[in-house]
Each structure stands twice: as C-alpha cells, then as structure tokens.
Amino acid sequence: MMPSSSETINASASGTWKLGDLTVNRLGFGSMRLTQSGAAFADGAPSDRDRALRVLRRAVELGVNHIDTAAFYFSPLRSANELINSALAPYADDLVITTKVGPGRDPSGAWVWATPEQLRGQVEENLRQLGREHLDVVNLRLSTSQASASVADHFGALADLREAGLVRHLGISNTSPEQLAEAHAIAPVVCVQNAYGVDSPAGDHAFLRDCGEQGIAFVPFFAIAGAGREEGSNCAQSEAVLTVARSHGATPAQVRLAWTLHQGPHVLAIPGTGNPDHLAQNVAAGALRLTADDLALLAR
C-alpha cells in the first residue's frame, strides 16, 4: 500500500544510482512541462511563473537531486533553464542537472538540428542560462530520422568539450544499441535517455537490460505519458494498471513510475509536472513497492 497521504515521502525512498561519480536519487524531475500550460511545445498559455518556481523548490525540498532540462525547453515567455536558475541558484552541492543538445529552436520556435561544429554553442547556451561553469551531464539527443545514422562526429565533438572541462559526463538519447556502442567507444557514456514505459515493446526491455549489464543508467522519458508523449497522460489506462493502482491505493501514474523503477537498479525516473500536487504524488511513487503478482499482471 502507499504510505498515508499525511506522510511526506522523500525522493531518497527510490534508492540511488551513480551517473559517473555523481550520486542521484532514482526519482528525479523533468522540466519540460514547466514552461507552459497544456502540451509541451504547443501554442498554449505560458505557465504561472511563481508556481513553476515553487514546484522546483519543492522538488528539491522533497529530496530530488537530479533535474533534467534543455535549452530548447521554452515557450514564448518561459525558459526551463532560466526558471531552474532563478529557483535554485546558488545550487546545492549534490544537485545534478542533466541537459541535452542536438535539437535547437530558432527565435520563431522552429526546430533545427545542430551540426557537430554547432554543439559547442548549444553547450555554452546551457551554461549561460543555468549560470554554471560546467554541465554535469550532457546527452546527445538524436532525431527519429537518425535511427541508423553514425553518431561518431557529433559524439566526438561532445567528447572534446568533456576534455575541455565544459562537460563532466556524457549520455545519449533516443538511441539504439548500435549507436550506444559507437558512442561508448569514443568516450564513457553514463546514461541512455529513451522513450520507455509499461507499454513498450520487447526490444526496448532488452535494451534496458543491456544498459544495466554495462553499468549505464537507463533514464526513460514518457514513462507516465506513454503514447500520449508531449500531450501528457491523457490516454486511457490499461485495466492492468488500474487494477494494480486500486490494490495499492495509488494513482495510475504512480503505478507506471513504480513499474519503471522496478525494471532495474540502474533505471531512473524523471517525471515532469507544473502542478505541486502531482509533484508530491510522483515523488511518493518512489516508495511504492509492487509485488510479484503486480509485475506479472502488468507484464501481460
């Protein structure tokens, strides 16, 4: 059962993992949904700035020490990186901020993809916005059209920035096992960020297990939203998820997060929200322990 709603559950209940030499609680926070109301990257109303700042500060109060962001997380009036800087700087020593480069958005909001030579500018943009001297972890985010492309030139450029001291650790996102192997031959990879959840196909589960065998963190995005992706978790929940949720007095989102964390000690979670109540529920999911029967039901 979930702990009483009167209890304050800390993110440390989810356990810890190391991103390189940086220890993080496995239940983290994703900043994508902070910048506007409704679906991410849509033409929605800007978020309430004061509320977004409160969510970030409350996340840290609840023990979250791993925040995922990107310079391209912005709406016409809000920037996720600026909100993080305003809410949390000067940063706690144990706070790990992970960002990603590759995609970018011009002033009109149109998407562009960086060449290897342009990645330094994207890294420096994140440094300026976050007010950091170096970035803790930078993921090379790949596009769907790059599913079978070589990553050597782009990842090599990031490896050079790591050697220069601008970046501490590297990861790769929206990637394949072959691309991970290619990147890992160039420089150490501390994490893989891919779409993943209870509805994922068998090949995704195998990739997750392979990352664990290599000691690489697997950091799913859309673990709650599933097929809803940027739209959020608006799709109907499976009967299995609803059954498990009822048995634990939990929400379907909490079950999805708990299931994700049950996939291995190397699996992290970075659910995002602009709602303080949802934040507390997400953090509490780190304390939800699913039974063998729960996991078997969800596996079907």
Side-chain angles (χ1 to χ4, degrees):
M1 295 292 291
M2 288 293 295
S4 166
S5 60
S6 63
E7 295 183 44
T8 300
I9 299 174
N10 191 279
S12 61
S14 61
T16 61
W17 184 260
K18 279 195 170 185
L19 294 171
D21 60 344
L22 304 172
T23 300
V24 296
N25 291 325
R26 294 175 61 215
L27 201 298
F29 179 81
S31 66
M32 183 179 71
R33 301 193 183 281
L34 284 180
T35 66
Q36 64 190 64
S37 303
F41 309 126
D43 294 327
S47 62
D48 182 297
R49 176 178 168 78
D50 289 340
R51 181 162 127 157
L53 296 176
R54 288 199 305 273
V55 165
L56 284 163
R57 290 170 182 145
R58 183 57 176 156
V60 171
E61 290 173 358
L62 291 173
V64 169
N65 59 2
H66 174 210
I67 294 178
D68 178 77
T69 188
F72 56 83
Y73 288 172
F74 67 83
S75 65
L77 296 179
R78 302 282 182 267
S79 155
N81 281 353
E82 185 277 326
L83 290 168
I84 291 168
N85 189 347
S86 295
L88 303 178
Y91 301 106
D93 291 341
D94 68 338
L95 181 64
V96 174
I97 299 178
T98 300
T99 188
K100 57 193 74 69
V101 295
R105 295 165 69 198
D106 67 21
S108 73
W111 290 96
V112 295
W113 289 85
T115 65
E117 295 75 20
Q118 292 171 329
L119 290 176
R120 183 183 184 107
Q122 290 190 336
V123 165
E124 291 174 347
E125 180 181 25
N126 279 279
L127 288 168
R128 286 192 300 271
Q129 292 176 351
L130 291 167
R132 304 294 297 267
E133 296 296 325
H134 70 271
L135 299 176
D136 295 324
V137 182
V138 172
N139 286 286
L140 174 63
R141 176 59 182 262
L142 304 174
S143 71
T144 303
S145 65
Q146 295 172 303
S148 59
S150 169
V151 299
D153 290 344
H154 283 79
F155 204 79
L158 290 181
D160 290 342
L161 297 178
R162 176 176 172 269
E163 289 297 318
L166 296 183
V167 176
R168 193 162 178 177
H169 298 293
L170 298 176
I172 189 165
S173 176
N174 210 31
T175 190
S176 69
E178 294 76 19
Q179 290 169 327
L180 171 60
E182 184 181 26
H184 208 35
I186 295 169
V189 178
V190 301
C191 59
V192 164
Q193 277 194 3
N194 273 19
Y196 181 79
V198 70
D199 312 300
S200 293
D204 291 354
H205 301 311
F207 190 20
L208 177 148
R209 290 191 296 272
D210 184 53
C211 288
E213 291 170 1
Q214 297 181 62
I216 297 171
F218 193 92
V219 190
F221 53 86
F222 301 138
I224 295 177
R229 296 180 66 86
E230 289 86 353
E231 295 289 333
S233 55
N234 298 321
C235 55
Q237 300 291 340
S238 71
E239 187 56 38
V241 170
L242 294 173
T243 298
V244 174
R246 285 192 292 267
S247 71
H248 287 276
T251 68
Q254 288 174 323
V255 169
R256 284 177 169 270
L257 285 173
W259 178 90
T260 300
L261 293 171
H262 273 75
Q263 299 312 298
H266 68 297
V267 181
L268 312 183
I270 48 171
T273 181
N275 183 313
D277 294 333
H278 290 169
L279 168 70
Q281 291 173 3
N282 289 343
V283 171
L288 176 56
R289 303 294 182 252
L290 303 181
T291 67
D293 288 344
D294 293 333
L295 296 171
L297 179 60
L298 292 168
R300 298 193 203 111

